[in-house]
Amino acid sequence: MELSYFSSMSILSFLCLTLLLGGKAGASIAPALYLFGGSSLDSGNNNFLQTKAKANYPPYGVDFLGGATGRYTNGPTTGDFIATQLGLPYPPAYLSLSEIQRRNIITGMNYASGSSGILPETGTALGDNLSLDEQISFFQRTVKNDLPHIFRTPEVLSLYLSKSIFIITSGPNDYLNNYLQPQFYNTSKTNPPQQFANLLLDTLGRQLTTIFNNGGRKFVVYGIGALGCLPVVLANVNPKPTTPCAENVNNLVKIFNNGLAAKLQQLTSSLEGSTFVLADTYTDTYAQFQDPVKYGFSEGRTPCCAVGDLGICLPGQQPCTDRNDHLYYDGIHPVQRVNYQFARNCFSGSTVCTPINIRQLAFKL
């Protein structure tokens, strides 16, 4: 969408958008929420793909209305909780919708896919997934083919997209299901840690620019959490670390996270009209693992469900009953309580998401 649309926006177009969103989104403070990323946001896209990375069976969804939907936790994801705080319904999984349904969705879409990453090959050793490039391609299809059935003029569509929130969480799998899997990928053999982080950041920068070029203006980009503290990493790392977490893995993540902050500042400066919010997922996950009791969790290191080699729940197993006392539901993903706390802090706090929180982002002109 051209920036000239914003300067030439007519009062009539603005009123049409206001009336349209008033009927569709109720008391929402943003017209729509669009989600991109991996399993932490996936709400069912992988149900429709040939892959081992699935969560559409019990004990996943034990605390979710509707049961196991493809979410990799016991309840809602951070994306779900943020949608609620914005006054929006949960964005539906793109692959779960028919063409007719896609042309009637105005409140956002979820393109996230478990095991996927910034790089197209990431996670493919487990089977099919929607890489971030593919997710963005589906978003482009939404903008070009679906939304014009609702927004009859380019001006109104541009205004709608400029007010919508875009959340992107991609990168963890580029380490977990790529760089740290030398038996399947040669990236660690050909790229020193800094060079690999630069490759991810440069690629992500181009991908975020593509979303911008298709109308996105308000972005929330998650950093990578403390992967070296994940139960699945600690169970498989060799030799076993002498520290609570595998700090060699965390050090890889820190290189990426440090570069991400600079990359988002660069994009904010170069993409006129854009706002990029950095979501710090590392600080809290690391601190909670080091001292879970301090943060109100009695069990910080044992998954709530029985897990297999991939770190995901084994089908049909009974999960723990004290789910709110655990940090991790399976060997990779947190319980819904952790998801809620992160979403709440990012939405209205001042430390997790910077330089502004999501509420401030939604009201930003």
Side-chain angles (χ1 to χ4, degrees), residues 15 24 220 243 251 281 321:
L15 290 175
K24 294 282 187 176
V220 180
T243 52
N251 288 336
T281 62
T321 56

Side-chain angles (χ1 to χ4, degrees), residues 28-164:
S28 62
I29 62 172
L33 176 64
Y34 288 93
L35 304 177
F36 304 79
S39 54
S40 63
L41 292 182
D42 190 351
S43 60
N45 282 312
N46 273 26
N47 298 352
F48 302 90
L49 301 175
Q50 294 296 317
T51 177
K52 296 177 183 177
K54 290 181 183 288
N56 58 343
Y57 55 85
Y60 289 112
V62 65
D63 298 306
F64 190 85
L65 183 63
T69 58
R71 290 168 169 85
Y72 293 74
T73 184
N74 56 308
T77 68
T78 60
D80 295 327
F81 283 124
I82 289 170
T84 298
Q85 291 166 323
L86 288 169
L88 296 169
Y90 297 165
Y94 182 83
L95 295 183
S96 71
L97 302 173
S98 68
E99 184 175 331
I100 293 176
Q101 289 173 318
R102 291 170 188 163
R103 291 186 173 185
N104 285 280
I105 298 290
I106 195 177
T107 52
M109 201 75 72
N110 188 336
Y111 307 96
S113 173
S115 83
S116 71
I118 295 169
L119 303 180
E121 68 271 21
T122 290
T124 53
L126 299 175
D128 297 333
N129 64 43
L130 303 180
S131 68
L132 187 53
D133 279 332
E134 291 174 301
Q135 295 175 37
I136 293 172
S137 178
F138 281 133
F139 168 65
Q140 291 176 294
R141 188 180 302 179
T142 297
V143 172
K144 291 179 173 25
N145 297 341
D146 299 333
L147 290 175
H149 286 267
I150 301 170
F151 300 97
R152 298 296 182 175
T153 68
E155 293 85 357
V156 178
L157 175 55
S158 291
L159 180 61
Y160 158 83
L161 290 169
S162 74
K163 300 297 184 183
S164 299

Side-chain angles (χ1 to χ4, degrees), residues 175-232:
Y175 288 95
L176 290 176
N177 289 308
N178 188 329
Y179 198 73
L180 296 173
Q181 300 286 341
Q183 68 273 35
F184 299 118
Y185 305 94
N186 67 354
T187 46
S188 62
K189 302 169 187 175
T190 58
N191 295 274
Q194 183 66 62
Q195 184 174 314
F196 184 68
N198 290 344
L199 171 64
L200 294 181
L201 291 166
D202 289 344
T203 305
L204 179 61
R206 291 194 295 271
Q207 292 161 332
L208 294 172
T209 300
T210 299
I211 298 177
F212 174 87
N213 289 337
N214 282 271
R217 294 295 180 270
K218 298 182 177 185
F219 298 84
V220 180
V221 184
Y222 288 26
I224 301 177
L227 301 184
C229 302
L230 294 180
V232 68

Side-chain angles (χ1 to χ4, degrees), residues 330-350:
D330 60 16
I332 305 170
H333 307 95
V335 298
Q336 68 166 3
R337 178 187 171 192
V338 174
N339 288 337
Y340 169 75
Q341 290 176 344
F342 176 84
R344 178 195 62 195
N345 292 339
C346 187
F347 184 80
S348 57
S350 60

